[in-house]
Amino acid sequence: MLSELENLAAPPPAADLEEEGLAAWEASFEHDKQIWGELLAENVDRLERGSYSLHWTDTTNSHWGTKVAPSSRGLTYNDINRSKAYGTIPDRAEYRNLSPRGSVRAEHRDRMPELEAYTLLDKYEMWADNVSTLYEEAKSRQWNSTTDIPWSELEPVSEDLEKAACQFSTFLSEVEFVAGDFPSRWIYKIPADFFEVKNFLVTQMMDEARHMEVFRKRALAGGGGLLHASPAFEWSMKAILEAPTHTMGTYLLNLLGEGFVLSVFRAGEFLARTHVDREIFRRCMQDEARHVAYGTMELKSYLENHPDPVVALQNMHRFADLGELVLFTSFVDPCLLEPIAVLMGGSLAQIDEGFEGISFLWSTLREEYLQRCDRANFDRRTRCKIPEFLPGMS
Ligand SMILES: [Fe+2]
Ligand SMILES: [Fe+2]
């Protein structure tokens, strides 16, 4: 049985893949040799002649003379985007190369490669009007889980509570970085015209790396360690990672999944049994709030700007009908609900009281999710697959 599994999982030998990839890469350059070969010859020839081009000093087609000024926060993207030349974000990417928005691009276009990786060519596929502001906020609120958490002050708690804290940390360690993996699947598909989104998604990846790190450290800092991974969590993460479009995955990850986590972190005062835990939740909550805000506004922008809004809405509902159910599978998994109930109740003996607390929290979680959908003009109130009451607690 084991050897069958091994065979199933075995990818082709790395050396074969390497050689295949190398051959394809060489062939692509051979194909375009006329263009880059000419560039190479021209440049070498110029150097050999001891001559200069200086074509880059020609400002004819540039926006030379644009001067930007900082605002009270410093020099933000919003500040530099005030000029029409630099701040006009096209509805569809004008170039599938790396040329920066605002540079002299057109006259070099024919000599640049078309980058096939860039496939999110329409602004509505990933844009959110708050993205530049969120990027600024993300940069100014970075923190370091190594030094900003007062680890040495972590107070010992009962074994019940420590187990619950460790299980909750295991859940978070397991799921946090999908929110880093998911943007990575899309960032490189976003063309240079929408660099603000690329920049913001990079901050989300850094945030999630820190979250994965802080919860892993938390599990070990109290003398317990990681407990049970859960199949239910992994089906949810698969649904997010393999979502067919960026907007669908962003909705499931940021708006729904992280929205729920944000609401749970907000309840940190009931969950945190030490001031160290409270500090961890507080810091993660700030980060998650940005991701949720992006997801909400991204969906709104998608639904408002899609060329066929009726079909866009239908497809989003169809995706949400299944997506909500798959994520709900995780929300009711004992590896998540029970440690939360123990932390809320204060001990394993008071798990029933904890469940009553969760039941009360549940309607807030669901309502906050539906409100975020409302803000995105995505009315899930009559279709929501997440039940109004926690099963067994109506
Ligand atoms: Fe996170
Ligand atoms: Fe997040």
Side-chain angles (χ1 to χ4, degrees), residues 15 116 150 169 182 190 206-207 219 267 275:
E116 286 171 17
S169 297
F182 174 77
I190 299 174
M206 186 60 221
D207 294 345
H275 77 282

Side-chain angles (χ1 to χ4, degrees), residues 175-177 179 204 207-208 211-212 215 258 261 265 284 287-288 291:
V175 304
E176 277 291 353
F177 204 73
Q204 183 175 5
D207 294 345
E208 306 303 357
H211 297 173
M212 184 179 76
F215 290 111
E258 299 198 322
V261 170
F265 284 161
C284 290
D287 296 341
E288 295 304 350
H291 311 158

Side-chain angles (χ1 to χ4, degrees), residues 20 33 44 99 122 142 145 147 165 175-177 226 257 261 309 333 371 376:
E20 230 173 83
K33 197 166 184 177
V44 169
S99 62
D122 289 303
Q142 291 295 301
S145 92
T147 51
V175 304
E176 277 291 353
F177 204 73
L226 293 169
V261 170
D333 192 84
Q371 282 174 9

